[in-house]
Amino acid sequence: MNALILAAGYATRLYPLTLNKAKPLLPVGGKPIVEWLADHLVELDDLGTIFIVTNAKFAKDFQSWADDYQRRQPKARFKVINDLSTDDSNKLGAIGDINLVLTRESLMDSDLLVLAGDNLFSESLEGFVRFGRNTEATVALYDVGDVEAMKKYACVTTDASGVITTFEEKPQKPTTTLAAIALYYYSRGVLPLFVTYLASGNNPDQPGRFLQWLYLRKPVKTFEIKGQWLDIGSKETLEAADKMFSAANAPKSVDVAL
């Protein structure tokens, strides 16, 4: 299994914070967002290479971070892929970037774990990966706990075995508080379908669009993750994440009875 972190966006909604720094490199809880993801990934068994797909503007920054992280964590193997885009007008889109890495790096013979570079998880990814390895495709679900908030996310329904039966982006009338989030496990048998999807003229942006297309063709399983999950899409969520993960990273006090 290889892992792919999607980090080629320009995060214009967070300007000026992201004008000269990629969103996944912004600090949260004392370290870059991408480092929290890397810390989870290096815990996984049988992990090959961690690919980071980014753009021409930030490729050197990601390479510098990856080199530094690898010095501190020698078991981590990174490869930064520059998709050569320079701004939103010529970006490939998340699905286009996945396909770029799959084809350029000849990755069709191994399973692929895909993560959005601006998502944060407090819990290990081991359970999700263990489950995904026995499926053709799996997407993570997270209970946001608020029906109104679901209007910002992807809403899915499943059958009794956890296979997606309906998928709707940003529903006006959500029927559940379980959101499909940008954490995916794709078996090697599914990976060639990225080429098929794009060759058919489908939208190359937003990774959930591929899932929305895929579930009508292949059984897509779901796995609910626990703990805390945050999608860093605004200054408010960035600040909330910093507070939450700073607390999680703080040394625990110990009372010693004498």
Side-chain angles (χ1 to χ4, degrees), residues 1-6 34-35 37-44 47-53 63 65-66 69-70 73 75-81 101 107 112-113 115:
M1 177 191 73
N2 296 299
L4 174 58
I5 297 174
L6 302 174
V34 68
E35 192 154 321
L37 295 177
D39 287 348
H40 285 310
L41 292 173
V42 295
E43 295 176 348
L44 301 175
L47 179 67
T49 301
I50 301 170
F51 293 90
I52 302 174
V53 62
Q63 189 64 61
W65 170 82
Y69 188 89
Q70 211 156 348
Q73 290 275 6
K75 67 180 289 189
R77 285 180 290 176
F78 289 99
K79 187 165 186 180
V80 176
I81 305 295
V101 176
L107 300 183
L112 187 67
L113 176 66
L115 312 86

Side-chain angles (χ1 to χ4, degrees), residues 28-31 36 121-123 228 240-252:
V28 163
K31 57 188 177 183
W36 290 96
F121 308 91
S122 65
E123 301 298 312
Q228 298 293 331
D242 188 52
K243 290 179 182 177
M244 181 185 301
F245 282 80
S246 291
N249 216 20
K252 302 296 188 292

